[in-house]
Amino acid sequence: KMVASERTAQIASVPAMAEEVVAMTEEAAAAEVSAAVGGPAAEGAAVSGLTLAQLSAMLRRVDLLNALGELEIAAAAQELETQAFKAGEVIYRQDDHGGDCFFVVAGECYATKQLYTLEEGTRVIHGRRGIGTVTEVTDDPSITLVVFDQGDSHRYTPASLHKLKPVVAVEPKVLEVMQYRPGDHPFFGERALSRNEPRPATITCRTDVTVLRLTADTFLGLRRQQDRKEDMLRRLALFETFSDDQIHQLACALQILKFHDKEAIMIQGEIGQHFYILNAGECVVTRKNGNSEEEIKRYFRGELFGEKALLQGTVHEETVTAVGAQVCVWSLSREAFETRLGSLSQLKKEQNLTDPRRLISDFYGKGDSHGPAGTVVAQYAKHVAGGALAKGAPHVHGVVETSSSM
């Protein structure tokens, strides 16, 4: 049997998760993720000369992508496609529809916007609302009011004026609004990853340019993978009191491991440093007692084991072994957990104080003739605030013992 620590080098860093993976079942997707362990270098990395770590750091600069987990960011880095443009070429134009985000790795691009001067009385057309008339233009704040022929009116800020086009063509002003180059502001088009809307500007190459392209299909597939991990964690009793942000932090740190038949994931007697969630396949739990080995139980998809490592870092009391050719587990180390959230035991203590089940239980705890504990404490607090009770009122079983005047 191979020791689990010897398998940590097989943490998946480059799973291919484009649209075809999204269409797969979760079990098949898990197998696909595992098969990518030790896969070839990303095309983007090979062409750009950047390492996978550098590509991942570049992707992290986009807020939308920064919400993905480590595994998903690495997958996105490998899915980047390289494109080359000549100086003067347009990558996309204002009002085009597209679903790609671009990262400049060589050369420089610039963004321009076509701005129309709309005066009162100008007839304009909107893609959805139809034809209307500009009835008011203010400077502070800058608002353009349009009354449409169909009867409704709408106000437009400078950021949304591009949605209006004059009925009678006029020459627009073209303003350069942004520059994109490696290391400075290298990305553009990120809104298209999650929104089906017209491009707000035209992107033109000032020099010969090399970009890496990330498609919306790839991003959406990876976001669904992230959501599945978070849902999986929420179903576990160990994390039922965790906030959405805490669940997200854990999901971002999960790594996928693949084990072969009869390969040990945890070994009895070793100090626990990871916990595992079985994502595909089956595991058997055994315990040695002298020269004999007894099967204790079996784990199936979605079950958690090794969690004592998070609480105490104790020695494993059993050995957990993979059963079958395709066994995949999600793994998280105690170090990664505590780096993100702190000690699990301390978290549990803090969460216990605000657990609604405990609050309800405490409220209906032993009180006196005036009602349950929660009612008595509330009455006591009210009387203390009003100065009705002397200081130092005795407490019985954690409940204030009130006077007969209450």
Side-chain angles (χ1 to χ4, degrees):
K1 295 179 180 179
M2 185 178 293
V3 178
S5 60
E6 295 176 355
R7 299 288 300 173
T8 56
Q10 294 187 349
I11 293 178
S13 59
V14 285
M17 289 184 180
E19 56 189 36
E20 63 271 17
V21 176
V22 177
M24 299 166 65
T25 63
E26 290 190 35
E27 292 84 352
E32 184 71 15
V33 169
S34 299
V37 176
E43 175 196 353
V47 174
S48 66
L50 300 175
T51 65
L52 190 61
Q54 289 172 321
L55 290 173
S56 298
M58 179 181 68
L59 292 172
R60 288 280 187 202
R61 296 181 64 176
V62 180
D63 290 341
L64 197 62
L65 298 175
N66 201 37
L68 297 176
E70 296 174 4
L71 193 62
E72 288 69 36
I73 283 290
Q78 195 176 38
E79 288 295 318
L80 292 171
E81 301 172 4
T82 304
Q83 290 184 319
F85 297 88
K86 296 293 185 181
E89 278 194 81
V90 173
I91 297 178
Y92 59 71
R93 297 185 183 278
Q94 183 174 334
D95 295 331
D96 285 352
H97 278 78
D100 304 326
C101 176
F102 297 87
F103 298 84
V104 181
V105 293
E108 180 179 343
C109 302
Y110 62 95
T112 56
K113 284 190 175 184
Q114 293 183 345
L115 302 179
Y116 296 89
T117 301
L118 301 179
E119 299 178 350
E120 292 182 10
T122 302
R123 296 283 282 170
V124 295
I125 185 169
H126 183 278
R128 182 161 52 87
R129 295 186 171 89
I131 297 176
T133 302
V134 177
T135 59
E136 184 180 357
V137 179
T138 60
D139 293 328
D140 189 16
S142 182
I143 299 292
T144 299
L145 176 63
V146 177
V147 177
F148 291 96
D149 294 354
Q150 63 184 17
D152 63 328
S153 61
H154 196 78
R155 289 176 169 81
Y156 294 87
T157 64
S160 60
L161 274 179
H162 68 277
K163 299 178 181 178
L164 301 174
K165 297 292 184 290
V167 172
V168 178
V170 296
E171 194 67 27
K173 293 181 180 179
V174 179
L175 299 180
E176 183 173 326
V177 294
M178 183 66 73
Q179 300 77 40
Y180 306 97
R181 59 182 70 90
D184 185 8
H185 195 292
F187 60 88
F188 52 87
E190 67 276 10
R191 287 169 62 94
L193 293 175
S194 62
R195 302 185 183 188
N196 182 20
E197 62 184 19
R199 300 285 194 180
T202 296
I203 306 296
T204 307
C205 301
R206 199 185 306 277
T207 66
D208 289 352
V209 168
T210 301
V211 297
L212 300 178
R213 180 171 72 102
L214 179 67
T215 68
D217 287 338
T218 296
F219 167 73
L220 293 174
L222 295 173
R223 189 168 68 177
R224 282 190 284 268
Q225 169 73 7
Q226 177 74 14
D227 291 342
R228 284 196 295 268
K229 291 194 299 182
E230 293 183 18
D231 290 341
M232 173 185 65
L233 290 171
R234 288 189 182 95
R235 290 194 294 266
L236 297 172
L238 182 65
F239 305 122
E240 63 183 357
T241 57
F242 278 40
S243 67
D244 287 344
D245 181 65
Q246 289 170 328
I247 290 291
H248 175 74
Q249 291 292 326
L250 289 183
C252 285
L254 287 175
Q255 301 289 347
I256 194 81
L257 296 174
K258 177 184 176 182
F259 294 88
H260 299 294
D261 187 35
K262 298 182 181 180
E263 190 173 353
I265 301 172
M266 288 171 25
I267 294 182
Q268 181 177 346
E270 289 189 350
I271 297 176
Q273 296 295 335
H274 298 77
F275 82 88
Y276 306 90
I277 304 168
L278 186 56
N279 194 52
E282 179 183 346
C283 296
V284 60
V285 183
T286 57
R287 182 183 299 154
K288 283 186 177 181
N289 186 9
N291 294 326
S292 63
E293 187 173 39
E294 176 187 8
E295 179 176 328
I296 305 299
K297 64 174 295 185
R298 297 205 169 209
Y299 288 119
F300 300 94
R301 178 176 171 78
E303 292 193 85
L304 170 74
F305 55 95
E307 65 273 19
K308 287 184 179 179
L310 291 183
L311 287 166
Q312 305 159 349
T314 55
V315 170
H316 292 311
E317 298 177 356
E318 298 93 12
T319 294
V320 178
T321 306
V323 176
Q326 292 292 333
V327 176
C328 296
V329 298
W330 292 108
S331 173
L332 181 65
S333 69
R334 183 179 186 183
E335 179 183 4
F337 183 99
E338 294 184 349
T339 297
R340 290 174 177 267
L341 298 179
S343 166
L344 177 60
S345 57
Q346 183 61 34
L347 278 175
K348 283 294 185 183
K349 290 178 183 178
E350 294 171 357
Q351 291 167 349
N352 185 48
L353 296 176
T354 56
D355 189 333
R357 293 167 298 187
R358 174 179 174 173
L359 297 178
I360 293 172
S361 175
D362 288 349
F363 184 90
Y364 288 103
K366 185 176 180 181
D368 60 14
S369 60
H370 297 88
T375 301
V376 176
V377 171
Q379 290 176 352
Y380 173 72
K382 179 179 179 181
H383 280 263
V384 168
L389 291 179
K391 294 181 179 179
H395 291 66
V396 178
H397 300 297
V399 179
V400 177
E401 183 177 319
T402 60
S403 67
S404 59
S405 62
M406 292 179 63

